């Protein structure tokens, strides 16, 4: 019985992994693009927020990481619109 559950779990993980790769490239891309979307909402709701606070509250450790993922997010949006 436990082997059956283990097999199902493995299949489920494989399915989710394949779905993430197909739709987002990877789980890391998916999570960081969600963080960017959150930062956009946060900035809309708090126009006077300092950039350092926005970056940290969005889950990024530093400005360089935030900028890298913001560029990735913007590129992905452009390619989806073409």
């Amino acid at each position: 019985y436990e082997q059956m559950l283990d097999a199902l779990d493995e299949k489920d993980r494989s399915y989710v992994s394949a779905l993430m790769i197909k739709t987002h490239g990877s789980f890391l891309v998916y999570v960081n693009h969600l963080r960017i979307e959150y930062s956009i909402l946060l900035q809309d709701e708090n126009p006077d927020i300092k950039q350092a606070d926005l970056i940290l509250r969005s889950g990024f450790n530093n400005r360089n990481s935030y900028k890298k993922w913001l560029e990735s997010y913007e590129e992905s949006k452009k390619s989806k619109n073409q």
Side-chain angles (χ1 to χ4, degrees):
Y1 181 74
E2 286 183 10
Q3 290 175 340
M4 255 182 14
L5 288 177
D6 289 342
L8 287 175
D9 289 342
E10 190 173 318
K11 286 180 183 177
D12 290 342
R13 284 192 303 267
S14 295
Y15 174 77
V16 171
S17 178
L19 183 62
M20 282 291 164
I21 289 169
K22 183 176 181 179
T23 58
H24 301 287
S26 73
F27 183 72
L28 181 65
V29 171
Y30 174 72
V31 169
N32 283 306
H33 284 190
L34 284 178
R35 288 177 176 162
I36 291 296
E37 288 176 354
Y38 177 72
S39 76
I40 292 167
L41 290 173
L42 192 58
Q43 192 165 30
D44 287 346
E45 293 173 357
N46 305 285
D48 297 329
I49 193 169
K50 293 181 181 179
Q51 188 177 34
D53 290 336
L54 177 72
I55 290 167
L56 290 175
R57 288 180 60 187
S58 301
F60 293 97
N61 293 328
N62 59 62
R63 184 174 178 228
N64 290 336
S65 180
Y66 174 80
K67 286 177 68 175
K68 171 188 154 188
W69 286 107
L70 179 60
E71 290 172 9
S72 169
Y73 177 81
E74 290 171 345
E75 286 297 317
S76 73
K77 290 296 177 188
K78 284 181 190 176
S79 67
K80 288 181 182 177
N81 290 332
Q82 292 179 352

